[in-house]
Each structure stands twice: as structure tokens, then as C-alpha cells.
Amino acid sequence: MAVVVPGTETVSRAGIPKPAQAKIDWNKTTRRLRLVELLTDDEVNQYRTANTWPGFSAALDELQARARQQLPTPVCDIPGDDIGLGALANLLASLADAADIWLPRSSHGHTRQYFPIHEEGIVKPSGVPVFDTFAVVDKYLPIHFQWPDLELSESDPKLNDLRRILARMTYFGRAESWCEAKAHVGLKLEEGPHASHWKCVCTGEIGQGSTTCDDRIFIIERKLAPLPIHAERFRNEVLEFLPRVTLRLAREAFRQMLSAEANETLLLRCLLRESSADIANDLDRPIGTRWVHYAVPRTVYDVPRPRRQPRCRTTETVDLVCYALNTATVNRPVLPALTDTLLVADKFRAAAIAIHEKVVDRNGLQHPRNLCGHEENGDPCQGHQHAFFWPTDEDNDGFIDHVTVYCPGEFEQTEVDALRRLFRIRQRGGRPDLLVTPVFWGKAEEFEPWKGGAIAFVSATPYFCPVHLSHGRSGGGKIRPITREIIKGLLEQNLIASQSEVEAMEELVFDYAPKELASVRGAVASGRIAEPVAPRQYFPVVGPTADFPPLPRVGTAAYPEGYDGAWVIDPDQPDAPFGVSSGLLVDRGTRLIRALGFCRRRRGAQVKGRGRMLRITFQQPRRSRRPFAIGDQCHFGLGLFVPVEISRIGRESTNQPSISQRQKL
């Protein structure tokens, strides 16, 4: 603080001691007299003797009066207070020892708060979150603070003062929770197997050799506690730091005032300081406090898992989900090739299971049996009632654009929720992610494309036999008929009741020289030559074999899409004619995708044998046009058969036996 002193150019310091000279500062330019520290009466007289010019004494008296107003006031009772400051100091001193804290079971909680921005009277969100954590306890279970060495009676004034203070305490803790505080005398708390509270004790000051605890039973927490007020360390720390954080002009007078006060009053002064003052003065802890260790039993944090509460929601009956695939690209979608059928189906299954485990059912209470295809003990599901994942090419361009997930046994509600949350699938090779959009959700009988009947089904993906067809080492190379395994697969899925329901089963192939094959078939039909006919070869570098397989023949029905120009052979003949390939045509019949070009490895499973493209014709139209899949990896898109419209034409006069006759042979 400063005072302007007119009429002089300097302040004399003759005969004044150096400590007193540093307490007054004179600015010659502005003619301001500034008091740095409060002067004693002797120092005031010395300055007046050295400076006798008019106005100096009045200026010095004004500075001294202002400085005395900045001095901290002594702690004394104020008339009209319910609790005097002296009584409050004595009460706090009796509670200064570290208390035993009895905690109930607790868990962790947190909040996210956003700082607002005030601009021109308008409050705008800043978007800056503040993460705050705290402990959560049952609101009906109290927290006990116990002082075992403190003895208070019902007639003690300290107890009445404490109850009066606690009645005014409305919130408690960092979370500022509403509370109701009460004081009790003689309350006995005990630990036991059925106890609701656990005792947390102070093990000592940090760095002062605190008691060690078993880490398997206790968790060590660091907390603030008052210094022992009757120790010399407490008084020395208060007398050293408390004047240091006050104004310089009042430090010495304040230090003398504190030296005359009792330790109880010093503790009250420390508690009345604001935390912001300690932070502003770069103090690592409040004055008069210490860091101590508390041993907290780990049982406090063993919160029992809550019981699963049934949710009141409508259970959906869903056994069919159809998805459309797309990518977030500009020109055209980057879809997976039809040959990646097995990989796409496996990624769909893995994504649905991951969503079920990490999002829908985090507690693991519901096993996704229909999605994973395994029981809870790890055994594979029987009866083919779990989910089929069928990637399909609806526009016949050679790329997968739809995925159908069908479960004959119906999905559970948690599995439906997982499929509902499926919206993105990763692709391999750095290609953009697949965007998954459900286009149908419900029952299979309500799906319009599957309504009606169908008599013939054709392969949309190659069929791979799930077993080896050879007879082993003792079989002499003899091959078992594959139609027997196909019939077995149809019976396992209850697609047919008996093998007599299948009228015909043909394998569709493509010849490398269809015109030449047509001329040979014409010669056989006219009687100029007779079968068996020598095989046609690309390079006749070896002689023909002794036995020739039958030539491919023209089909008995109109060809479906993807099989224009295909020929028909018997699926059970041991050797395929030379120059034919199994596959299907895509992109308007301009490109042939071979059956062996399909991916045949999925995680630990590998498909063996050659793939076949088949057409199965039933005796009577099936009641539904629903596709079906049989054979190896049928739940992942291989061996898929889709309905086709056929118009019967004149059949060739062949001596091919029926399916039932083959089985008898």
C-alpha cells in the first residue's frame, strides 16, 4: 500500500537501523511512500525524528493504520453464536486422531460433466468432458467413523456441540451426496462372517514406517489426516507456513499472534483456510496435515453380481434374416467374389457371435447355440437346426450381393438382437468394409420369394461330399455312388421322407468343344457309331484307354440361369469324360466359374474332393421354394441348392436307372 506525500523530494533514513529501513520504500518519481512491513512504535519515532517536514507524520500514520487493518484477527467467541470458536476448537482437537472407518460393500461409479462456455450471456456447451470417479454405497447402509480412544458422555458439552453441527451437514464426500449425520455414544461394531461393515484402520504415516499388511486381504489407500496436535512438529509447521502465505507487511505481527495461541486454536485456523489458498502457494498438502495409509479389506469391493432381471419386451419369432451387401465407394461396390462364399459366411458367423458376447450378452448368461452351432459343453449341434449362412449372387454377375441367415429351429431373442446390430463386415486384401443392410426380418413362410412350390433345385454353389467315396486299400479303386450320400443328406434335414421322393439327380458340366460333342452325339443318335466312344483329347500324346466313360448328354429339362449350354452326366459314374468341367456361368454367360475355384479352407476345416454342380428333381413339387444346403460345410454356403423353373421336354431314350434302382444295386 502507498500514500502520495507532496512537498518533498526525498525521505531521510539517517540514524535508522537497516532492518527498519527495508520496511519503507520511497519512489522519488511518483512521490509515493509505500509501507512494506508494519513498523514498531520505536521505528515510527525514529522515522519522525529523521523527517520533520510537514505531511510526513500524517502519511506515516495513515500507512500504519491501513496496515493494522490487514492484520489477521485473533480467534475469539462472537456474541450470538450457537457454538463459540473456543468450544469448536476444543471439539475439533478431540477428533484430530485418525479414526477407524467402517465401510459397507461398495462399487465404483463415475460421472462425465461438460464445462459450459458463457459468451455474451449465452451458455454454450464446450464439448470438453471432465471424468470424475467415486465410490458408490447402498443409501440404506451408513458409514461409521469411530474414535476408540475418545470418551464422551451424554452430558458432555462437546457431544451436544457435535450433534448440533452434524444436524446442519447436508452433503458429504467428493460426489456431494445428500446425507444425514448423527453422533452415537457406546455403539458397538463387530466384524464377522455375516457382518455388513468392515473396519478400515490407519496403519501409520507414509514414510514413517507404517505397519505392513497382507496384500491378499487388504488394499492400501493414501488419505489425509491431521498432524498430532500435541506434537512439536505440528506447532513448528503451523508457525512456519501459516505466516508465509499471508501479506508481507503483516507476517511478523501474525507470527507473534500465532505464538501466543494454543494448539487447538492453530488447528482451527488451518481448517478454516480455503484449499485454493494452499494451491495458489504451491503447497503439496494443507498446512497441519499428513499423508497416512489406511488398510481397506478387499471384501468391501466384492460386490455380488446382481440377479438377472427379466425384461418386459415382446419376444420376436425370427428364423430368417436376409441382408443386402454394399460398400462405401463412389463408382461401384467392391463386393467379394462368388468363390469367397465360405469366407464370407464364416465372417458373418464370427461377427454375429462377437456382437452377442460383447454387446448383447456381456454377462455370458445366454449361450448363442444357434449362431455358433455348438452346445454349451462344446459338442456340435445335431439335427441341422442351427443357423445356415448362405452368401448368394442374386444378379448373376459373379459377386456376392446378399447373405441369407436361416435357422430352422428359430433364433433366441439375444441372437436376434445380435443379428440386428450387425451392420459392417471386414473384407480381406485391403478392400473396403461391407455395409450390411437387412432387407427381411421374420418367419421363412412369410418371405415372398420362398412362397409357392418347386419341383427342381439346382446348385448355386458346388456340392462337396462329406465322406470319402473310395473303399480304402482293399477296395481296388472302386468308388461308391455319391447319390447315396446326397440322399442321406436330404433325409438328415427332413427334406424328404424317403428316397423314392427324388425322381432324378443329374450332374451339370460344360464341355470344352460343345459343337464337336454335339456332332458325336448326333452320330450316335443316327446309328452311325455306338457308345462307348473314344475320348476326345486336347493333345493325343497317349493312346486311348480300354474302357471309355459315357459321353455327356443333353438334359431332359430347360437349363436354368447360369447353366446355358450345359451337358448332363451321371453323378455315380466313376470317371468323368475327358474335356468337361464342373462350374456355372456368370456375367450373362461370358465367364465360367469352376467348382474347384471356390475357397475350400475355413479356419481349421478344409473341404476335400472335387466339387459338383447338380440338379435334383423331385417326384412332387415341394410345398416351399426355400433353398437348402447339404454336404460338407453346408452351414457356410457350400452345397446350396436354389429352386428353378423347368419345362419338361422330350426325354432321350436312355437306359439310365432311377435313384431307387441305384440304391438297390
Side-chain angles (χ1 to χ4, degrees), residues 326-334 424 432-435:
N326 203 346
T327 56
T329 50
V330 178
N331 296 325
R332 61 178 297 272
V334 184
R424 186 183 294 268
D433 294 350
L434 291 175
L435 304 181

Side-chain angles (χ1 to χ4, degrees), residues 384-424:
H384 296 278
Q385 295 299 305
H386 53 287
F388 290 85
F389 296 86
W390 294 334
T392 55
D393 176 19
E394 301 292 342
D395 54 4
N396 194 240
D397 61 349
F399 297 94
I400 299 172
D401 47 35
H402 286 78
V403 174
T404 301
V405 184
Y406 172 64
C407 179
E410 296 183 358
F411 291 109
E412 298 291 340
Q413 187 59 50
T414 56
E415 297 169 339
V416 174
D417 295 339
L419 293 173
R420 193 186 300 277
R421 287 175 169 83
L422 186 61
F423 65 92
R424 186 183 294 268

Side-chain angles (χ1 to χ4, degrees), residues 320-455:
L320 176 65
V321 183
C322 299
Y323 297 96
L325 306 185
N326 203 346
T327 56
T329 50
V330 178
N331 296 325
R332 61 178 297 272
V334 184
L335 300 176
L338 184 59
T339 54
D340 289 342
T341 296
L342 192 63
L343 297 178
V344 173
D346 183 69
K347 284 183 175 292
F348 256 78
R349 171 182 176 270
I353 294 175
I355 294 175
H356 185 278
E357 293 179 353
K358 298 181 179 180
V359 179
V360 178
D361 188 27
R362 296 181 180 180
N363 298 326
L365 302 179
Q366 187 76 30
H367 175 66
R369 175 186 180 277
N370 295 317
L371 291 178
C372 67
H374 292 82
E375 304 290 351
E376 291 191 29
N377 58 2
D379 295 338
C381 297
Q382 303 296 328
H384 296 278
Q385 295 299 305
H386 53 287
F388 290 85
F389 296 86
W390 294 334
T392 55
D393 176 19
E394 301 292 342
D395 54 4
N396 194 240
D397 61 349
F399 297 94
I400 299 172
D401 47 35
H402 286 78
V403 174
T404 301
V405 184
Y406 172 64
C407 179
E410 296 183 358
F411 291 109
E412 298 291 340
Q413 187 59 50
T414 56
E415 297 169 339
V416 174
D417 295 339
L419 293 173
R420 193 186 300 277
R421 287 175 169 83
L422 186 61
F423 65 92
R424 186 183 294 268
I425 299 293
R426 283 190 175 183
Q427 293 198 80
R428 62 173 181 169
R431 288 176 287 184
D433 294 350
L434 291 175
L435 304 181
V436 180
T437 305
V439 295
F440 179 80
W441 201 278
K443 296 287 292 181
E445 55 264 20
E446 300 174 359
F447 189 41
E448 193 64 30
W450 289 5
K451 291 182 178 180
I455 196 171

Side-chain angles (χ1 to χ4, degrees), residues 56 206 377 397 452 498 540:
F56 179 80
I206 298 177
N377 58 2
D397 61 349
S498 63

